[in-house]
Amino acid sequence: MILVLKGVSGIKSRFQLILSFFLTLMFTCPLAGQSWDFIKEKDSIKIYTRVESGRTLKSYKAITDINAPVEKIFTLMEDINNTDWWDKKLTQIKVLQYEKDKKARYYMVYELPWPVTDRDLCVDVTITINQVTGERKINAVSLNGIIPEHDDLVRIKDYVQTWTITPAGKDMTHIVLEGFVDPAGAIPNWISNMLIIESPMKAISGLREAMGKK
């Protein structure tokens, strides 16, 4: 059934309906994140953070260029048998599923400084490749309900990370690493700071170092 509103009262009613619709969108749709704040630069790696709507913790972004072809970097990143360049706090990595150039699932354990309890999480990874530009995206999100939780570990349930690797000239690749992690449970501020600033810095440094050894 189509409701037709006529006359002044109809115009007023339509306006109220439109206003109500946009107010509903404003209060139900998530707001875009704030602008990125520059935090530090080290070894040509720039780190940014920003506040996300509805979250108390900040997300992070790391940017750099690596002197290596994008195909070579992507091949290393996708190699499930070569994770030595990953964050050194990762003490256990178990491959649950893998499909080359498409997707993967991992179970990981993070070792954190005493007296903070170590964390674990499962991630679901999807890969997209732009055949025209050569850009690769590796997107990981937390995957819950796959591995039973352990009493001696705190499960991370809110996690997202995206690597964007883009050709930037001959044998040069532009790297952008964005993400958010809620470590869950009680945790000191300096640990949270380490997770959102030092972890992306070390991840990119490890990738660059691995490329230098190739």
Side-chain angles (χ1 to χ4, degrees), residues 76-92:
L76 172 68
M77 296 180 72
E78 202 196 16
D79 185 0
I80 60 175
N81 297 312
N82 186 357
T83 58
D84 292 342
W85 62 273
W86 288 22
D87 193 331
K88 302 305 180 186
K89 294 187 296 296
L90 276 171
T91 58
Q92 181 181 342

Side-chain angles (χ1 to χ4, degrees), residues 91-210:
T91 58
Q92 181 181 342
I93 304 172
K94 182 179 181 181
V95 180
L96 305 176
Q97 180 183 353
Y98 173 72
E99 189 173 348
K100 183 175 175 56
D101 293 345
K102 291 184 179 181
K103 60 184 177 180
R105 287 183 174 182
Y106 298 96
Y107 170 73
M108 302 182 290
V109 177
Y110 281 90
E111 181 180 39
L112 297 180
W114 184 90
V116 179
T117 303
D118 293 346
R119 262 64 175 169
D120 70 344
L121 77 157
C122 295
V123 295
D124 188 44
V125 180
T126 56
I127 297 170
T128 57
I129 301 175
N130 189 316
Q131 300 296 342
V132 177
T133 65
E135 179 185 88
R136 274 84 162 163
K137 280 185 179 289
I138 303 173
N139 185 66
V141 297
S142 50
L143 181 66
N144 301 313
I146 301 298
I147 299 292
E149 296 185 31
H150 303 280
D151 293 338
D152 58 340
L153 297 170
V154 174
R155 177 63 51 87
I156 294 175
K157 297 180 179 178
D158 190 1
Y159 171 94
V160 60
Q161 180 173 272
T162 300
W163 289 86
T164 304
I165 56 176
T166 309
K170 182 177 175 57
D171 294 338
M172 185 67 69
T173 300
H174 185 63
I175 304 288
V176 179
L177 172 59
E178 293 186 49
F180 174 87
V181 56
D182 183 346
I187 193 167
N189 289 335
W190 67 272
I191 295 290
S192 297
N193 183 70
M194 178 183 68
L195 290 173
I196 67 171
I197 296 177
E198 298 304 324
S199 289
M201 178 76 72
K202 291 178 179 178
I204 289 184
S205 294
L207 180 61
R208 175 182 285 162
E209 182 179 349

Side-chain angles (χ1 to χ4, degrees), residues 65-73 169-174 211:
D65 291 324
I66 294 181
N67 188 17
V70 67
E71 296 84 0
K72 186 177 180 180
I73 293 176
K170 182 177 175 57
D171 294 338
M172 185 67 69
T173 300
H174 185 63
M211 282 294 99

